[in-house]
Amino acid sequence: MPTQKIHQFLVANVLLLGSLVFLPVHAQDAKELNLYSARHYQTDEALYGEFTKKTGIKINRIEADDNALAERLKSEGANSPADVILMVDAARLWRAQIDGFFKPIQSKYLESRIPANLRSKPEPNGSTWFGFSTRARLVVYNKAKVNPQDVDTYEKLAEPINKGKVCTRSGAHPYMLSLIGAMIERRGEAATEEWAKDMVANMARPPRGGDTDQIKAVASGECGVALTNSYYLVRLLRSTKPEDQTVVSKIGFIWPNQKTSGAHINIAGGGVAKNAPHSAAAIQFLEYLASDSAQEYFANGNNEWPAVKTVKIENEGLKMLGPFKAENISVASIGKNQIAAQRILDRVAYK
């Protein structure tokens, strides 16, 4: 072979080999899954380990808070290696959907297992995200200072009798945005804004800290009443630490709005990333999260209620909370209302 042709042959094959290095793995051949997760719970290790054991698919995880994940996905764009995105809170899932991070999928299994009000509103090509676990927004109160009948609804927290008693975390936090989004859905913007304004007037101190901080502030007497997500309370109820049991002994908890709309419910959930290189594995993973065994991990490991109603709960902490009436509102609508919720908070200076 002439020298020039040998050179051309070598160049062509080097280029071919180089291009093959960067070819994406075909979804059907995937033995790995790239998971972008805002969940940071140790119990999820067993959850993911079981999936790998059952399928042979290795999970590569990127863990960060929701905002950091969103920024990463924006910067990666169409080149993102993400296959599945998991987020906490309906407001965050809705924002991720609006930002174009998910793609619709069709799965009869997911649609049969996850209630319609716990997933995105369907599009022509399917649903974009699904809730896999739920948590409720409870009222906790100081048993020595507060009459439980004065705080048994979200609305009563804003009444004059509770002036100087109320503590919450920041109004800008998604937990509060989702609660207010649900109130907008139930009561309209005008009534919700009046409630938010009266809540600010009733504050014992400026909003700060997380949900566990609110519970401890109620126990110490700094606050008379506060809001918390259920799994924070269950952690304290299940704790064997003496200091946690001291906190528990000083507080009571209430399922709000049991005679009306029911307690506010939120979700943790996820969907398939828009440019997922391993789409088949991604759908398989989401379907696994809706299985009985995975749903039991959410309940027994992280004190969340399963999204699948038929799954049996063995968590004694959740059982201690007792039965309750839950709000029956589409979480997709709650997410949609977060922009209006933030405007209300800004207008009433709910920091």
Side-chain angles (χ1 to χ4, degrees), residues 98-157:
I98 295 302
D99 287 340
F101 296 152
F102 296 125
K103 69 177 177 182
I105 63 167
Q106 293 182 334
S107 167
K108 291 182 178 179
Y109 182 76
L110 286 172
E111 290 174 3
S112 68
R113 299 279 286 176
I114 307 299
N117 70 310
L118 299 183
R119 59 180 192 255
S120 70
K121 291 185 177 179
E123 299 180 5
N125 295 324
S127 297
T128 53
W129 51 262
F130 299 82
F132 293 107
S133 62
T134 68
R135 60 283 302 270
R137 203 82 177 136
L138 289 115
V139 169
V140 292
Y141 65 94
N142 185 295
K143 291 192 292 189
K145 294 186 174 184
V146 173
N147 183 338
Q149 292 182 346
D150 294 337
V151 293
D152 60 3
T153 70
Y154 301 114
E155 289 78 8
K156 284 186 181 180
L157 300 183

Side-chain angles (χ1 to χ4, degrees), residues 47 55 66 73 103 234 251 277 282 286-287 305:
L47 180 74
T55 65
D66 298 84
L73 287 162
K103 69 177 177 182
V234 174
I251 64 168
L286 293 184
E287 291 180 341
W305 282 282

Side-chain angles (χ1 to χ4, degrees), residues 293-340:
S293 60
Q295 290 284 294
E296 288 168 4
Y297 274 115
F298 289 128
N300 302 327
N302 199 48
N303 306 315
E304 300 170 272
W305 282 282
V308 179
K309 302 304 182 184
T310 55
V311 172
K312 187 177 180 180
I313 297 175
E314 300 296 341
N315 185 319
E316 290 303 316
L318 288 177
K319 290 180 180 179
M320 288 171 69
L321 296 184
F324 67 100
K325 177 183 177 181
E327 188 177 65
N328 187 22
I329 294 177
S330 167
V331 292
S333 298
I334 293 172
K336 172 181 62 67
N337 289 339
Q338 69 169 301
I339 295 174

Side-chain angles (χ1 to χ4, degrees), residues 92-328:
R92 288 163 168 159
L93 285 162
W94 180 83
R95 173 51 60 187
Q97 178 183 351
I98 295 302
D99 287 340
F101 296 152
F102 296 125
K103 69 177 177 182
I105 63 167
Q106 293 182 334
S107 167
K108 291 182 178 179
Y109 182 76
L110 286 172
E111 290 174 3
S112 68
R113 299 279 286 176
I114 307 299
N117 70 310
L118 299 183
R119 59 180 192 255
S120 70
K121 291 185 177 179
E123 299 180 5
N125 295 324
S127 297
T128 53
W129 51 262
F130 299 82
F132 293 107
S133 62
T134 68
R135 60 283 302 270
R137 203 82 177 136
L138 289 115
V139 169
V140 292
Y141 65 94
N142 185 295
K143 291 192 292 189
K145 294 186 174 184
V146 173
N147 183 338
Q149 292 182 346
D150 294 337
V151 293
D152 60 3
T153 70
Y154 301 114
E155 289 78 8
K156 284 186 181 180
L157 300 183
E159 292 182 355
I161 196 171
N162 290 311
K163 190 170 182 65
K165 298 178 183 178
V166 176
C167 286
T168 72
R169 67 192 305 159
S170 168
H173 193 276
Y175 294 168
M176 288 302 299
L177 287 172
S178 290
L179 173 63
I180 294 171
M183 292 188 77
I184 291 171
E185 194 70 13
R186 289 192 290 107
R187 305 182 65 205
E189 288 190 38
T192 300
E193 182 164 344
E194 189 66 25
W195 175 85
K197 183 176 72 173
D198 292 339
M199 283 284 284
V200 172
N202 280 358
M203 293 291 181
R205 56 165 168 75
R208 66 172 182 265
D211 282 15
T212 302
D213 298 313
Q214 313 308 317
I215 299 172
K216 291 180 177 179
V218 169
S220 72
E222 181 183 10
C223 314
V225 62
L227 293 166
T228 181
N229 267 4
S230 50
Y231 65 86
Y232 293 104
L233 178 59
V234 174
R235 284 180 191 173
L236 290 174
L237 292 174
R238 297 181 72 183
S239 174
T240 57
K241 295 179 181 178
E243 60 269 29
D244 290 340
Q245 288 306 305
T246 298
V247 168
V248 169
S249 71
K250 294 180 178 180
I251 64 168
F253 66 86
I254 290 174
W255 287 111
N257 296 64
Q258 292 303 281
K259 294 180 181 179
T260 56
S261 56
H264 170 61
I265 294 295
N266 210 328
I267 62 169
V272 177
K274 182 178 180 180
N275 300 293
H278 312 123
S279 291
I283 295 173
Q284 189 174 359
F285 179 72
L286 293 184
E287 291 180 341
Y288 159 72
L289 293 183
S291 69
D292 281 1
S293 60
Q295 290 284 294
E296 288 168 4
Y297 274 115
F298 289 128
N300 302 327
N302 199 48
N303 306 315
E304 300 170 272
W305 282 282
V308 179
K309 302 304 182 184
T310 55
V311 172
K312 187 177 180 180
I313 297 175
E314 300 296 341
N315 185 319
E316 290 303 316
L318 288 177
K319 290 180 180 179
M320 288 171 69
L321 296 184
F324 67 100
K325 177 183 177 181
E327 188 177 65
N328 187 22

